[in-house]
Amino acid sequence: FSVIAPIASQLSNSGNIGITYQYALNQMLGAGGTFSNLHYTDPSQVPGLSDSASQGGMAFYALRVSKVNYLGMTYEYQRLLAYPAAGTNETQTHAFLFFYTLYPTSRFSITFFGGPQYSDTVQALPALSLQEWTAAAGASMNWQGRWNSFALSYSHPIASGGGLLGA
């Protein structure tokens, strides 16, 4: 869910980096990273909201098995931080996803993905620790025209089982 903050002084930074290497005719590796920071310079302007930060990284391997079919796997890591007045809340996630991509044309692709995801959340107040395994799945579609493009993606955890540890 998105929150639209009232007009308030803030400092925001973000960055992304990525690299892809095609080391054989039908094989490719890649990696990327991202970070973002949000700091409200006057917290009294935004009661109920807090500063936040995130970092993430990913690596993938893709294999073209035919002219229009690709198989691969992706590892994704994400760290989410929130800084409410009571302390720091942190969630770290690790996901290992397998994917299949179909290119019916050179300008249109459909991808299906799924796999296990682990999350570890620590909350300051009330003191709480939650570790959880979920099965994540989703799909995406991408179309590229001559002057424009369209992309649509959906993902969702489909099962869970975890433990809640209170302090």
Side-chain angles (χ1 to χ4, degrees), residues 81-124:
L81 297 159
Y83 304 102
T88 300
N89 298 336
E90 178 180 7
T91 297
Q92 294 187 48
T93 64
H94 303 267
F96 191 73
L97 305 172
F98 297 93
F99 65 85
Y100 165 72
T101 301
L102 171 67
Y103 282 91
T105 71
S106 63
R107 295 178 180 246
F108 182 72
S109 68
I110 300 170
T111 300
F112 300 96
F113 57 89
Q117 178 175 288
Y118 175 76
S119 66
D120 184 4
T121 299
V122 178
Q123 179 177 303

Side-chain angles (χ1 to χ4, degrees), residues 11-12 43 46 51 58 68 73 75 88 98 101 110 123 127 136 164:
L11 176 61
S12 177
V46 287
D51 294 352
M58 63 83 69
V68 298
M73 61 187 90
Y75 168 76
T88 300
F98 297 93
T101 301
I110 300 170
Q123 179 177 303
L164 178 66

Side-chain angles (χ1 to χ4, degrees), residues 27-63:
Q27 298 179 57
M28 187 182 314
L29 293 171
T34 182
F35 80 92
S36 68
N37 294 309
L38 173 62
H39 172 69
Y40 293 105
T41 56
D42 185 358
S44 67
Q45 294 178 334
V46 287
L49 298 180
S50 60
D51 294 352
S52 64
S54 69
Q55 300 93 35
M58 63 83 69
F60 76 90
Y61 167 78
L63 171 68

